Amino acid sequence: MAVAMVSRGISTSLKLIEKQPISTPGFFNGSLALNPVQRLHITSKRLALAGNGIIPKASAATAVEQDGSSQETAVPMPKVVIDLDSDPEATVVEVTFGDRLGALLDTMNALKNLGLNVVKANVCLDSSGKHNTFAITKASTGRKVDDPELLEAIRLTIINNMMEYHPESSSRLAMGEAFGVFQPYQKIDVDIATHIHVYDDGPERSLLCVETADRPGLIVDLVKIITDINVDVESGEFDTEGLLAKAKFHVSYKGKALIKPLQQVLANSLRYFLRRPTTEDASF
């Protein structure tokens, strides 16, 4: 799952987020030491994968029930990308919310509170908005982050900060429904929004592409479902784009690419759990 990066001596002349934080409750509890009544926020970018231009994308027109489209167009699409592929030494995170984001110094401080170091930071402006990119490593080891729970904590922390300093972003984020100041203008039909494809990506691995409705804990859930059928997750990218989550994972089975029957088992397992996230074993 090539933006030029600069060292963390990021220019203090960049204007910090102008709005004062709004005190609100959020999600995480447990070993990650996030306040269980705190908020989190996100932004994403795209993983360049050679030779995989055929990956289909869901149509927003069919996956989303339209509601308040005029208000929606006034608020840019919030995006958060967590990229484990582009840098061998660090996990790359990119956050975009039109041109409304500042230097995100508060977000970088929040990431440091998770036991992370921001080793590089860069801001790039193009026609789609301002892209704030960080390269982060674990403070304890100096290595890139690959633990699913910590990756999810990073994602939710960014989303929480975005909704805190830019409350209008909650109107375009799935987590705005429970934790935002504004309710999302649209609602996702999970069955229509969920798309799963597995592609051959050489003799030693396959490429798994998942698109579905976003929800807290999704990175952890995806990795657990994949590894529960003994498929290894090698690397990838996880994007949050408004109400949708899009993941690309390089996967293998015993060091080899997945054969067709195993590809089908993997796709069916993911489709079942993603479309029925609240199904309990006791109901069978």
Side-chain angles (χ1 to χ4, degrees):
M1 320 141 201
V3 181
M5 301 234 175
V6 296
S7 69
R8 58 181 165 188
I10 185 168
S11 172
T12 55
S13 64
L14 287 172
K15 186 175 180 181
L16 187 54
I17 301 167
E18 301 165 357
K19 300 186 180 178
Q20 293 303 314
I22 295 174
S23 133
T24 52
F27 337 116
F28 255 100
N29 40 27
S31 60
L32 295 175
L34 290 179
N35 187 329
V37 201
Q38 223 173 7
R39 290 191 182 172
L40 312 167
H41 42 140
I42 303 178
T43 298
S44 42
K45 189 174 179 180
R46 187 101 355 228
L47 173 65
L49 294 168
N52 287 288
I54 60 171
I55 298 172
K57 297 180 181 178
S59 167
T62 58
V64 177
E65 301 172 9
Q66 298 299 327
D67 181 17
S69 58
S70 60
Q71 299 105 312
E72 175 197 355
T73 55
V75 179
M77 174 75 76
K79 297 182 180 180
V80 176
V81 178
I82 298 177
D83 179 5
L84 300 177
D85 279 341
S86 62
D87 190 327
E89 304 297 330
T91 300
V92 178
V93 178
E94 182 180 332
V95 183
T96 307
F97 185 48
D99 60 356
R100 303 189 183 191
L101 298 179
L104 299 188
L105 299 182
D106 289 282
T107 296
M108 287 191 280
N109 287 333
L111 294 175
K112 290 178 182 177
N113 290 338
L114 294 177
L116 304 169
N117 285 332
V118 179
V119 295
K120 298 177 185 177
N122 185 57
V123 178
C124 175
L125 186 64
D126 62 20
S127 59
S128 65
K130 184 186 293 183
H131 303 269
N132 295 67
T133 308
F134 313 120
I136 57 180
T137 60
K138 292 181 181 178
S140 59
T141 63
R143 306 188 66 173
K144 69 191 302 177
V145 181
D146 55 9
D147 176 68
E149 291 189 3
L150 187 51
L151 291 171
E152 181 67 7
I154 292 168
R155 186 175 84 97
L156 295 180
T157 297
I158 295 171
I159 291 175
N160 182 61
N161 282 355
M162 185 181 293
M163 292 195 299
E164 186 173 358
Y165 289 96
H166 295 276
E168 72 277 15
S169 66
S170 65
S171 66
R172 302 206 65 184
L173 288 164
M175 281 165 262
E177 184 170 0
F179 302 99
V181 173
F182 302 103
Q183 293 292 297
Y185 294 135
Q186 299 175 327
K187 292 188 178 179
I188 290 287
D189 183 320
V190 177
D191 285 344
I192 296 176
T194 298
H195 301 271
I196 300 164
H197 303 278
V198 185
Y199 301 94
D200 293 331
D201 191 27
E204 297 182 351
R205 65 183 188 179
S206 300
L207 177 65
L208 168 66
C209 299
V210 179
E211 180 175 319
T212 191
D214 190 26
R215 66 173 189 260
L218 189 55
I219 294 178
V220 177
D221 291 343
L222 288 175
V223 173
K224 183 178 187 305
I225 294 165
I226 296 168
T227 55
D228 277 352
I229 58 174
N230 298 318
V231 172
D232 297 322
V233 179
E234 298 179 4
S235 63
E237 178 183 308
F238 192 94
D239 300 357
T240 305
E241 297 186 11
L243 302 174
L244 294 173
K246 302 177 182 181
K248 298 173 186 175
F249 296 121
H250 296 295
V251 296
S252 63
Y253 178 71
K254 296 184 176 179
K256 300 294 182 182
L258 275 57
I259 60 175
K260 295 299 180 182
L262 186 53
Q263 291 182 11
Q264 191 62 52
V265 169
L266 176 58
N268 289 345
S269 298
L270 287 165
R271 191 172 291 113
Y272 178 82
F273 284 103
L274 290 173
R275 289 180 174 176
R276 294 165 179 80
T278 58
T279 301
E280 298 179 0
D281 292 340
S283 64
F284 293 99

